[in-house]
Amino acid sequence: MSSEAATPASPRLVVGIDLGTTNSLAAIRAGKGARVLRDADGEPLIPSVVCFHPDGRTLVGREAKAERLTHPDRTVFSIKRLIGRSVHELGDEPKRLPYPIVAGERDLPRVRVGERQWSPEEISALILQRVKQTAEQALGQPVQHAVVTVPAWFDDAQRQATKDAAALAGLDCLRILNEPTAAALAYGIDGSKDGTALVYDLGGGTFDVSILRIDDGVFRVLSTSGDTHLGGDDFDELLGQRILAALPRVAGKAGALEDPYVLQAVRKAAESLKIKLSSAERADLQLDLGARGAVTLTVTRAEFEAAIAPLVQRTLDCVQRAVKDAGLRLEQIDDVVLVGGSTRVPMVRARLRGMLGKEPHTGVDPDLAVALGASIQADVLAGNDRSLLPLDVIPLSLGIETLGGAVQKLILRNSTIPTSVTEEFSTGVDNQTAVDLNVFQGERELAKDCRRLGHFKLRGIPPLPAGLPRIAVTFLVDADGVLRVTAREQRTGAEASIQIVPSFGLTRDEVRRMMLDSIENAQADYVAREAIDVRNKAEAMVRGTQKALALAELPPDQTYAVQKAVKALGKLLAANADAAALKQGCDDLTKVTATIADDVISAAVAKALREEQQGS
Ligand code: ADP
Ligand code: MG
């Protein structure tokens, strides 16, 4: 028998990280709440920007963002757009970015800075490293484990590349979590209630909308839609145009539009105007660019809203599409969750509310929600949270029924998925050519106290003495929580399998009740299980000894003595004697066979017994 350990020892400190296109940050669960980890200035958001300054310094975060226009070819932002993709897949993305992107080996994109080329994983690792340092300073202890979020539509390669980036940053990424799932978790949508949620995520440069279905604690992404080039940066751009239009041209100077210092200042001013307009009806700007000119400007919220209205409408079109793709109607959305800094714009909220006829959740800061949700998942992986039905772990043990109605567990509860375990079984009767496999879920020892998930039959086993066929039974739970049980006879290759979704039809309360049951009944279960084991052993001894008697040529008196003891044990079995009596019967039989001073029978019995005991 072989069995892999499925659950590693759980690390105690695990942070949640939102590795964003525009901003990144970490959060940690503390008691019932979760909190973001801020830098020394109290800032939670770290701009996802890296600048390889000509003076040799590598700047990350706010300092790097400040260089975006002064060193456009050495300041890398939006690296999330490139990670895990080939140059071919990027399409015209590189043309939109001011830093040079070249094709490296296997057509993977690389950012060229001077002599050196950087992979998107390396750039992301620099950002993650900064996030890690910030978290360590805030917590006062080393951080090694994390849950990192990605958009729901990220494919395997993009997810793997994100994991690689974490590893490069010295972080063990325990789980990649979908951003919309994380956001839903942050809003307390923890799977305890079934329903549908719409997650509307408007960040700096990207817009994502996802429809989630929550079924018995399992989050499924039903559909996604969005626009990879739509976000708060576009709002800034529109305001920036107004500022530039108001900037008087200084005679004899190059156009302000080509001056990176002017553009940088204008972009910054535009963003701060926009942010003011989220809480005020009007915002003033006084921008003094010295010799390059000065602007005084007032923008009202109404003007701003008129400018961005077409962009907001585009997001609503995506919402329509996502809901339709999920096979739902707008009224069937139970919860609306806002994510991304740009959902702070009041018009965005108002338009969404108008369309869905429902108040969006607003209790959590939209630019912190993903990290906060990731920290909740992180806490579950750290093993600190016992109240929440963990996502992506197996809530109850899975096993098969063995001889006598006991359950042999192959995958233990709380194993993280995906996971796979194989164990070997055999037949219990001679010349048996088929076995029934009953798959059970639960913590109790006996099949009758567990939940039967399914049943299948393996045929085509070669007719052999009991215990000789070798049947490998594999339990495989994939990342979606789907269980596949396969039985394969090793000699003939005969195979049969069944596929089950174990979490379906089980509520969190049921899981809890089944757990409590197993604790309350532990003693009784132990006794019952022992009784089955003794019974199996007694039956095996009876059969084994009978076989041995037929093989060994014993003197009649000894044959008689053995037969008598076998018969006595057989009677106990037939009378359903209790475990103590059966144990006594087994001991008596052992004594008789042991006292027969004949190596032949001892060897024959031993051999027959060995074969019998392998069976079951
Ligand atoms: P991402 O997920 O792309 O990394 P974020 O969720 O951090 O991005 O959102 C960043 C965007 O949110 C920026 O465009 C920023 O200007 C915008 N933003 C932040 N706060 C506000 C606010 N109060 N009002 C409007 N926009 C805001
Ligand atoms: Mg985001």
Side-chain angles (χ1 to χ4, degrees):
M1 296 227 171
S2 77
S3 103
E4 292 165 32
T7 332
S10 28
R12 285 207 321 282
L13 186 74
V14 187
V15 298
I17 296 180
D18 173 4
L19 179 61
T21 310
T22 316
N23 295 305
S24 299
L25 73 154
I28 186 141
R29 188 110 196 258
K32 276 201 181 316
R35 66 181 175 100
V36 297
L37 298 169
R38 295 165 190 269
D39 69 12
D41 299 326
E43 260 299 317
L45 300 182
I46 298 168
S48 305
V49 187
V50 176
C51 171
F52 302 99
H53 201 277
D55 70 10
R57 289 176 302 152
T58 301
L59 307 173
V60 183
R62 258 178 299 160
E63 293 105 345
K65 189 179 172 185
E67 304 290 336
R68 252 182 76 170
L69 293 182
T70 43
H71 297 292
D73 53 337
R74 307 180 73 95
T75 306
V76 187
F77 62 95
S78 284
I79 196 67
K80 194 172 173 179
R81 296 182 183 278
L82 310 188
I83 200 163
R85 308 175 78 185
S86 66
V87 171
H88 175 76
E89 285 169 319
L90 288 177
D92 64 355
E93 196 76 73
K95 278 194 224 116
R96 296 166 176 261
L97 297 168
Y99 48 87
I101 295 161
V102 297
E105 56 178 279
R106 288 182 292 129
D107 195 37
L108 294 175
R110 308 204 131 226
V111 177
R112 188 162 47 82
V113 183
E115 296 291 285
R116 179 121 159 47
Q117 290 184 7
W118 297 80
S119 68
E121 287 89 332
E122 287 172 309
I123 306 274
S124 302
L126 289 168
I127 298 162
L128 283 168
Q129 223 164 43
R130 170 58 61 89
V131 174
K132 179 177 187 276
Q133 283 163 2
T134 305
E136 287 176 337
Q137 274 157 18
L139 290 166
Q141 58 178 308
V143 171
Q144 265 151 11
H145 305 279
V147 168
V148 182
T149 59
V150 298
W153 47 266
F154 254 31
D155 65 16
D156 272 348
Q158 290 165 300
R159 285 164 198 260
Q160 187 53 52
T162 303
K163 270 192 154 175
D164 293 346
L168 281 175
L171 282 167
D172 181 8
C173 173
L174 299 181
R175 182 70 44 89
I176 290 285
L177 183 65
N178 286 331
E179 286 164 11
T181 304
L185 282 173
Y187 275 101
I189 301 169
D190 57 7
S192 58
K193 205 173 112 240
D194 288 358
T196 51
L198 183 148
V199 181
Y200 177 102
D201 182 349
L202 190 59
T206 56
F207 170 62
D208 289 312
V209 53
S210 316
I211 312 293
L212 303 180
R213 166 96 216 147
I214 300 120
D215 251 334
D216 294 328
V218 177
F219 287 68
R220 256 184 317 144
V221 179
L222 294 183
S223 65
T224 62
S225 180
D227 190 323
T228 50
H229 292 100
L230 177 57
D233 294 350
D234 299 303
F235 301 172
D236 300 348
E237 184 71 35
L238 292 169
L239 283 172
Q241 282 166 15
R242 276 211 54 177
I243 299 171
L244 283 173
L247 189 68
R249 294 293 143 91
V250 178
K253 290 260 173 196
L257 288 169
E258 277 98 66
D259 186 333
Y261 288 94
V262 172
L263 287 178
Q264 177 79 6
V266 166
R267 180 174 282 175
K268 215 173 150 183
E271 188 178 7
S272 81
L273 266 182
K274 172 186 75 176
I275 290 174
K276 277 188 209 154
L277 286 170
S278 287
S279 53
E281 286 297 329
R282 58 195 309 123
D284 298 323
L285 171 71
Q286 277 174 323
L287 185 63
D288 189 351
L289 296 167
R292 294 179 175 89
V295 199
T296 312
L297 188 71
T298 299
V299 183
T300 65
R301 189 186 279 176
E303 287 168 332
F304 174 61
E305 291 183 344
I308 64 168
L311 299 178
V312 176
Q313 185 53 48
R314 263 165 65 194
T315 69
L316 297 182
D317 295 343
C318 292
V319 169
Q320 288 273 13
R321 201 169 316 131
V323 172
K324 185 163 168 275
D325 288 352
L328 297 172
R329 282 171 284 114
L330 291 176
E331 338 51 283
Q332 288 175 300
I333 301 294
D334 298 317
D335 289 287
V336 181
V337 169
L338 298 181
V339 192
S342 301
T343 60
R344 285 219 168 90
V345 174
M347 183 197 199
V348 169
R349 296 184 176 196
R351 295 292 308 273
L352 197 59
R353 188 191 306 124
M355 180 183 179
L356 292 161
K358 198 160 276 153
E359 196 60 45
H361 290 289
T362 51
V364 182
D365 277 341
D367 34 18
L368 311 181
V370 168
L372 290 169
S375 79
I376 294 172
Q377 168 82 81
D379 194 51
V380 173
L381 291 177
N384 297 329
D385 188 339
R386 304 260 167 233
S387 69
L388 197 74
L389 174 61
L391 295 167
D392 299 344
V393 302
I394 291 159
L396 291 166
S397 302
L398 300 168
I400 63 168
E401 183 178 10
T402 56
L403 209 63
V407 171
Q408 171 139 355
K409 300 184 179 83
L410 275 86
I411 297 183
L412 297 181
R413 71 178 294 268
N414 275 345
S415 301
T416 53
I417 61 174
T419 183
S420 157
V421 172
T422 300
E423 291 202 9
E424 207 166 89
F425 294 84
S426 191
T427 49
V429 179
D430 289 345
N431 301 322
Q432 187 178 338
T433 55
V435 287
D436 282 307
L437 289 119
N438 287 301
V439 181
F440 282 88
Q441 175 180 46
E443 304 315 304
R444 303 282 299 273
E445 294 288 339
L446 305 186
K448 70 177 176 57
D449 299 318
C450 291
R451 183 168 179 260
R452 189 165 111 150
L453 292 178
H455 158 259
F456 67 107
K457 216 179 180 88
L458 174 66
R459 297 171 210 277
I461 300 169
L464 288 168
L468 284 188
R470 292 170 49 212
I471 302 163
V473 176
T474 300
F475 274 50
L476 187 153
V477 182
D478 68 17
D480 298 322
V482 175
L483 166 68
R484 189 175 187 83
V485 181
T486 308
R488 184 187 156 88
E489 206 288 315
Q490 304 291 60
R491 217 173 307 242
T492 58
E495 197 177 288
S497 69
I498 186 173
Q499 193 163 308
I500 304 159
V501 182
S503 52
F504 278 10
L506 255 197
T507 67
R508 195 213 296 249
D509 282 345
E510 279 175 309
V511 169
R512 200 167 294 154
R513 188 180 45 67
M514 289 171 88
M515 284 293 308
L516 286 176
D517 271 2
S518 77
I519 296 164
E520 277 166 17
N521 295 299
Q523 177 65 22
D525 278 3
Y526 175 79
V527 172
R529 172 77 195 240
E530 205 193 8
I532 289 176
D533 289 346
V534 172
R535 199 179 165 83
N536 286 343
K537 186 181 166 208
E539 282 173 352
M541 277 189 85
V542 168
R543 281 197 303 263
T545 315
Q546 277 165 347
K547 258 190 219 170
L549 273 179
L551 291 175
E553 284 149 28
L554 288 181
D557 59 328
Q558 288 185 353
T559 303
Y560 177 73
V562 175
Q563 268 171 350
K564 200 174 138 195
V566 168
K567 226 183 223 161
L569 186 53
K571 253 192 196 147
L572 288 173
L573 281 168
N576 261 330
D578 64 16
L582 284 176
K583 222 185 237 162
Q584 188 59 53
C586 289
D587 288 349
D588 291 346
L589 179 56
T590 309
K591 252 181 240 149
V592 177
T593 49
T595 52
I596 297 168
D598 189 334
D599 292 344
V600 180
I601 185 158
S602 300
V605 167
K607 179 170 176 290
L609 263 182
R610 259 202 314 277
E611 284 178 15
E612 279 294 340
Q613 274 166 359
Q614 275 169 10
S616 72

